[in-house]
Amino acid sequence: MLYTDDIAAFSDAAPPTPWSRSLAEPQIHPTSYVHTFSNVIGDVRIGEHVLVAPGTSIRADEGSPFHIGRYSNVQDGVVIHGLEKGRVKGDDGQEYSVWIGDHTSITHMALIHGPCYVGNNCFIGFRSTVFNAKVGHGCVVMMHALVQDVEIPPGKYVPSGAIITTQQQADRLPDVLPSDLQFTSHIIEINDALRAGYQCAEDDSCLLKFQQSVAAASGGSLMSSPVSAALDQVQRSLSQGHRIGMEFADERRYRTSSWQTGPTLSGSPGEVMAQLSRHLQELGGMYVRLIGIDPKGKKRVWEQVVQTPKDQPAQVFAQVSGPMSGPVSGPVGAKPGGAAPVGDVMALVQQLLNQGYRVGLEVADERRYRASSWTSAGITDSPQQFQQLLAQYPGMYVRLLGIDSRAKKRVLEKLIQTPGGAAAVGASPVPNGRPSASNGSGLGSSLQEQIRRLLSQGYRVGLEFADERRYRTSSWTSGGVIPSSYEGDVLAQVQAALSSHASDYVRLLGIDPKAKKRVLEQIIHKPGQAPAAPAVDVPSYAHDNPVRRSSPMASPVVSSRLSAEVQAEVQNLLSQGYRIGTEHADARRYRTSSWKSCTPIASTYLPEVLRELEACLQEHQGEYVRLLGIDPKAKRRVLEKVIQTP
């Protein structure tokens, strides 16, 4: 295998220490990509097509060597380190402090500490820790898990939050499902594409060829993709107060990356593009790149090559500079499927400007609209410039912004255009910035009211999903926090999530962004139910939820296997912020007080906890089972009570 050590910017030799005087240096295959914001120190052997993302620390300065196999990825914030003593045997028969196999993902903020072996085709989830352990081929370790002093057999699944520190726990782990294998394979494909993209992004010629190939495949001119990208960059930068600069180079200077400084472009986006078109004609036959400059931070924020010696700039930029700088023909917002009501839109714009506000636009395609991920299209205080901006985005979602420059806040967000037709905009007084929600969302009235109450009290809304297996182990998958605080956007995104997760359990989260804690966990959908109908009408609030009107534990929960006394005990523990656990033992182990743990209970939601307790009792009929109350802060037990005997 060939390696290169020409990566001094982000790798270094191991320091001289009493246990190591070899001053070993990293060996990184030339097909791999290690980001310059990462640290790779000592005898680290990185194989082919590996991605090492920003912010990682791979230090073979105590335990060594390390091996990272081909097509694996080490994501942002990962730490890989090893103890001076202790080794594992790699697949090549040699001893290593850390061995990571092929096609394996070590994901964000995970800690891999040697002596440690992680096999091929594995997934180590966010913030999980693997120490003094062996993880067999094809294992999936989910988020916030601890694997220590054990050997995980091949093909096993470790749920989120699990603590696996005994071999008995490791041996009882469930097998991975085909969907898990598909997921891990997809992660590998994504990160390999990122690796290739990062390598291409650092090579201007590669990036330009890529953009040209995309444009050619879509039937456009060879430079249409770079020009569109440059146009978007210019618009965003100008709206953010950045300046636009130019640099140029002939063939010889381009090969040595010795660019010459060109003029600075200023004015509106249309004026900037007109200036750029003129300068490109003057610099025909040369490489030209644009630069976004942050004048406050005195630094470059982006660079974009927009011309090579083979291009014809005059023809290229005629297609984009004209509409920005010249008069707008036709109705404002004209597009396939309908035209915007010009009079109403412009009346609202004029009303905002008359009241001293500025107006801006945000745009989104279909995918970004569903995710409420809008892109700024510019800010102006001129009706004419507003018309020019709006005309540039036919076939997209467009919303109008009213902006109070002094208070630095928005006073209006209004959807004025959709891909299939424009949204009607009435010339009504400027609202308070919170558009009214549509009543046609398809969500149950109780769920809409729940969301409305959360938003009115300043909370954010999030979602979590779980299939049947993950639901039983309370291993929920985060759907993220909905970025918008506007009722209509939130209802639309909840509806979209319910439709796309019809076969999963879905629960709604209420989140206090200041205290950074949950105030609500409510299951709103179960598999087999209509997506629009919430599965549970009664919310389960967190213990200290300020928005509840009465205690969520006030009403009894009927359980077929648990006595009222046990249910009351569990309810009392949860209300005090304690966690619930269970242990079981047969007659022989009971006599020696040698208890085994049941499946960990991660939930603090009373009905889910009772279901987990029932499952433990059902699974261990004919054995002793005891209930545990655990103080998670003090990390001690506050209750041990036998609730089942043979």
Side-chain angles (χ1 to χ4, degrees), residues 90-153:
D91 292 348
D92 60 0
Q94 304 298 314
E95 289 191 343
Y96 292 84
S97 177
V98 174
W99 173 280
I100 297 174
D102 301 341
H103 298 89
T104 286
S105 295
I106 312 296
T107 66
H108 312 290
M109 307 296 287
L111 169 60
I112 306 298
H113 207 291
C116 178
Y117 174 99
V118 180
N120 301 335
N121 303 297
C122 289
F123 176 90
I124 308 298
F126 314 145
R127 293 185 180 273
S128 289
T129 298
V130 182
F131 168 58
N132 192 32
K134 179 175 181 179
V135 179
H137 299 313
C139 286
V140 174
V141 179
M142 296 303 288
M143 296 64 174
H144 294 264
L146 170 64
V147 178
Q148 178 181 341
D149 305 327
V150 296
E151 181 174 337
I152 306 294

Side-chain angles (χ1 to χ4, degrees), residues 245-249 257-263 280 283 286-291 300 303-304 306-307:
M246 287 180 63
E247 289 183 333
F248 58 94
S257 193
S258 178
W259 294 83
Q260 294 179 276
T261 302
L280 287 178
L283 297 170
M286 304 189 76
Y287 291 90
V288 179
R289 70 179 179 188
L290 295 182
I291 304 164
R300 299 185 178 193
E303 295 176 350
Q304 174 76 49
V306 295
Q307 178 179 296

Side-chain angles (χ1 to χ4, degrees), residues 50-284:
V50 172
L51 170 65
V52 178
T56 59
S57 178
I58 306 175
R59 295 195 296 115
D61 52 7
E62 184 179 346
S64 69
F66 295 174
H67 169 91
I68 302 176
R70 54 199 295 271
Y71 287 97
S72 291
N73 58 87
V74 182
Q75 299 179 13
D76 313 65
V78 167
V79 174
I80 303 178
H81 197 240
L83 296 178
E84 173 198 353
K85 297 181 179 179
R87 295 291 182 271
V88 295
K89 183 173 288 188
D91 292 348
D92 60 0
Q94 304 298 314
E95 289 191 343
Y96 292 84
S97 177
V98 174
W99 173 280
I100 297 174
D102 301 341
H103 298 89
T104 286
S105 295
I106 312 296
T107 66
H108 312 290
M109 307 296 287
L111 169 60
I112 306 298
H113 207 291
C116 178
Y117 174 99
V118 180
N120 301 335
N121 303 297
C122 289
F123 176 90
I124 308 298
F126 314 145
R127 293 185 180 273
S128 289
T129 298
V130 182
F131 168 58
N132 192 32
K134 179 175 181 179
V135 179
H137 299 313
C139 286
V140 174
V141 179
M142 296 303 288
M143 296 64 174
H144 294 264
L146 170 64
V147 178
Q148 178 181 341
D149 305 327
V150 296
E151 181 174 337
I152 306 294
K156 293 298 182 180
Y157 176 89
V158 180
S160 293
I163 299 176
I164 310 299
T165 56
T166 68
Q167 194 57 44
Q168 293 88 341
Q169 292 174 314
D171 293 339
R172 291 201 305 267
L173 289 169
D175 294 335
V176 299
L177 299 178
S179 58
D180 298 322
L181 298 178
Q182 293 173 3
F183 169 71
T184 58
S185 177
H186 177 65
I187 296 298
I188 293 296
E189 293 173 0
I190 290 295
N191 280 274
D192 190 54
L194 285 171
R195 174 196 58 78
Y198 279 127
Q199 289 173 324
C200 182
E202 293 187 352
D203 182 347
D204 284 340
S205 59
C206 172
L207 187 61
L208 195 58
K209 289 178 181 178
F210 174 78
Q211 293 170 325
Q212 291 173 342
S213 66
V214 171
S218 63
S221 68
L222 290 180
M223 278 295 292
S224 61
S225 180
V227 168
S228 299
L231 175 59
D232 293 340
Q233 289 277 25
V234 167
Q235 289 177 319
R236 283 196 295 270
S237 286
L238 292 175
S239 67
Q240 295 168 8
H242 297 159
R243 295 178 180 174
I244 308 301
M246 287 180 63
E247 289 183 333
F248 58 94
D250 57 21
E251 193 71 43
R252 180 178 63 83
R253 288 182 175 273
Y254 177 76
R255 287 198 300 269
T256 59
S257 193
S258 178
W259 294 83
Q260 294 179 276
T261 302
T264 299
L265 312 179
S266 60
S268 67
E271 293 169 340
V272 167
M273 297 305 286
Q275 294 171 40
L276 178 58
S277 180
R278 291 194 300 272
H279 290 310
L280 287 178
Q281 294 182 49
E282 298 169 0
L283 297 170

Side-chain angles (χ1 to χ4, degrees), residues 446-465:
S446 61
L447 179 55
Q448 290 190 56
E449 179 59 31
Q450 185 70 270
I451 292 172
R452 187 175 297 115
R453 186 162 61 246
L454 288 169
L455 295 175
S456 68
Q457 299 189 24
Y459 298 125
R460 306 300 293 272
V461 173
L463 294 169
E464 289 183 330
F465 316 106

Side-chain angles (χ1 to χ4, degrees), residues 559-631:
S559 170
S560 60
R561 298 187 60 86
L562 298 173
S563 67
E565 180 185 357
V566 171
Q567 293 185 55
E569 191 77 64
V570 172
Q571 180 177 332
N572 182 50
L573 289 168
L574 292 175
S575 68
Q576 297 180 61
Y578 297 130
R579 307 299 291 270
I580 305 299
T582 49
E583 292 180 331
H584 65 95
D586 56 23
R588 180 178 63 83
R589 288 183 175 273
Y590 178 75
R591 287 195 299 271
T592 60
S593 192
S594 178
W595 294 84
K596 292 183 177 181
S597 296
C598 292
T599 303
I601 301 176
S603 177
T604 56
Y605 175 41
L606 179 60
E608 293 180 6
V609 173
L610 295 180
R611 279 196 295 270
E612 295 294 331
L613 286 174
E614 289 182 345
C616 180
L617 294 175
Q618 178 70 27
E619 183 180 354
H620 299 287
Q621 294 184 57
E623 294 187 39
Y624 293 88
V625 177
R626 71 179 178 185
L627 174 71
L628 307 178
I630 303 167
D631 184 341

